[in-house]
Amino acid sequence: MSLKKTVSFIGLFFVMLNTFAQYDIIPLWNGDIPNSQKSDEQELVESTDSKRIYTVQTPTLEVYLPTKRNATGQAVIICPGGGYHYLTYDFEGTDIAKWFNSKGITAFVLKYRLPGSKSVKVSYQAPLQDAQRAMRIVRSQAKKWHVNPNKIGVIGFSAGGHLASTLGTQFDKPNTFKETAIDIISARPDFMALIYPVVTMKMDYTHKGSRNNLLGENPSEDLVNQFSNELQMTKNTPPTFIVHAEDDHSVPVENSLQLYQALKNKGIEAELHIYPHGGHGFGLALGKGRLEKWTDRLYDWLQSL
């Protein structure tokens, strides 16, 4: 092969590779992003032992598909944590998606806007708006991804667990922007999985960083109650799976205990696993003894739904 043809082939290969990558990453919004404003802010990516994304400018869904032969029809939207300050995008996002794929479950990693971004108008509205839109996109295109539209759930880690539980309890929150056809599709998850989640915004057990980033340093009592998800349970809240470590010194285990009690009070099917050791931010917990088996418990639970 001549040098010219070789260069052309390599160029075509990288164009194709980029095209496929873009096909798998879907912008949540067409045109103007609601609740946004122009700023000079740039999206920042930091890669050390994990990939962190700051000041998200273009919220997206990254699609991870199992082989058709293994696909179960279940799907899940993944909300990485990061205290509403950044997204732990691989450790609590793409790594989790690959695990779901190994079980035949289609996964979507949500890159949601962060409330402290200068590009966001009303801080606390943006993450939920993105989560609602993500669920509506997946449900509206379920056939394309060989997904059952009645088997689409959400999983969240830490502050991502707060976003997931906000979606699970406030999925029908009215939009504050001009709606299009997709916005009438249900944003209710069919199940929730919450892993060491931030749940409450009340000062006794909240994660102060998440609270300050989402609501500001002096939020009103009404706003605190609105985003304390243990107070937002209804009979339409989906079945919920919860994992937490008792020695979590960042997000107290009481977040999960209060949530479980609230679910029980409403008669919502729930499963809670409390491990004595594990701390905070353990992800898949690889190499952490029996804590590593929490994913097995999740898989058992998903099969039982």
Side-chain angles (χ1 to χ4, degrees):
M1 184 182 290
S2 69
L3 178 61
K4 184 176 180 180
K5 287 183 178 179
T6 301
V7 171
S8 297
F9 175 78
I10 293 172
L12 178 61
F13 172 78
F14 280 107
V15 168
M16 290 173 65
L17 187 64
N18 185 62
T19 299
F20 291 142
Q22 292 303 311
Y23 173 80
D24 289 335
I25 300 178
I26 303 167
L28 294 185
W29 306 97
N30 295 321
D32 293 336
I33 300 173
N35 187 30
S36 66
Q37 57 193 2
K38 290 184 178 180
S39 78
D40 58 358
E41 200 170 54
Q42 301 291 317
E43 189 167 299
L44 301 175
V45 179
E46 177 183 273
S47 295
T48 52
D49 59 340
S50 64
K51 178 179 178 180
R52 294 181 175 185
I53 302 179
Y54 296 80
T55 58
V56 171
Q57 301 298 298
T58 304
T60 60
L61 274 178
E62 186 165 354
V63 185
Y64 283 78
L65 300 175
T67 61
K68 290 181 182 179
R69 185 174 179 177
N70 287 333
T72 65
Q74 281 184 319
V76 64
I77 294 169
I78 303 168
C79 302
Y84 283 122
H85 178 54
Y86 57 83
L87 303 181
T88 309
Y89 194 76
D90 51 5
F91 188 71
E92 295 174 342
T94 57
D95 282 0
I96 308 301
K98 294 167 188 174
W99 177 84
F100 275 114
N101 279 181
S102 75
K103 303 299 184 183
I105 299 168
T106 302
F108 303 84
V109 182
L110 176 60
K111 187 179 76 171
Y112 56 91
R113 285 173 292 165
L114 296 161
S117 169
K118 294 178 183 178
S119 301
V120 171
K121 289 182 180 178
V122 182
S123 61
Y124 56 83
Q125 290 181 355
L128 178 57
Q129 288 171 333
D130 289 348
Q132 287 176 311
R133 174 53 71 101
M135 183 60 68
R136 287 168 172 143
I137 288 173
V138 174
R139 190 159 276 137
S140 68
Q141 300 187 49
K143 185 176 180 180
K144 168 184 173 182
W145 291 310
H146 305 285
V147 166
N148 184 328
N150 299 314
K151 293 184 177 182
I152 304 169
V154 64
I155 185 173
F157 297 77
S158 192
H162 183 267
L163 177 55
S165 62
T166 304
L167 179 64
T169 55
Q170 303 184 51
F171 51 84
D172 54 358
K173 186 80 173 176
N175 292 313
T176 58
F177 53 87
K178 185 177 180 180
E179 294 184 336
T180 60
I182 196 173
D183 296 308
I184 65 172
I185 295 172
S186 173
R188 178 186 180 273
D190 294 300
F191 59 86
M192 288 195 296
L194 309 175
I195 316 304
Y196 42 88
V198 178
V199 175
T200 190
M201 289 288 120
K202 292 183 175 294
M203 287 300 291
D204 51 358
Y205 296 122
T206 193
H207 177 251
K208 292 182 177 64
S210 296
R211 171 182 153 129
N212 290 346
N213 288 328
L214 184 65
L215 305 182
E217 293 190 3
N218 296 294
S220 68
E221 185 177 355
D222 285 347
L223 202 57
V224 168
N225 289 339
Q226 179 185 337
F227 286 95
S228 293
N229 290 326
E230 77 277 12
L231 304 178
Q232 300 300 324
M233 294 295 145
T234 73
K235 63 180 181 180
N236 293 321
T237 300
T240 302
F241 176 92
I242 311 168
V243 173
H244 219 120
E246 191 175 346
D247 64 349
D248 189 330
H249 300 302
S250 296
V251 179
V253 70
E254 282 80 4
N255 281 264
S256 289
L257 295 173
Q258 290 182 348
L259 182 67
Y260 178 78
Q261 186 63 56
L263 289 160
K264 182 179 176 182
N265 290 345
K266 289 293 183 181
I268 305 299
E269 179 186 336
E271 184 168 314
L272 171 64
H273 294 267
I274 302 294
Y275 290 84
H277 305 291
H280 188 72
F282 48 76
L284 291 170
L286 300 180
K288 292 187 178 293
R290 62 194 179 101
L291 180 60
E292 186 177 332
K293 300 296 184 181
W294 78 260
T295 51
D296 294 337
R297 305 289 76 76
L298 173 59
Y299 182 57
D300 291 342
W301 182 78
L302 288 171
Q303 287 186 302
S304 75
L305 293 178

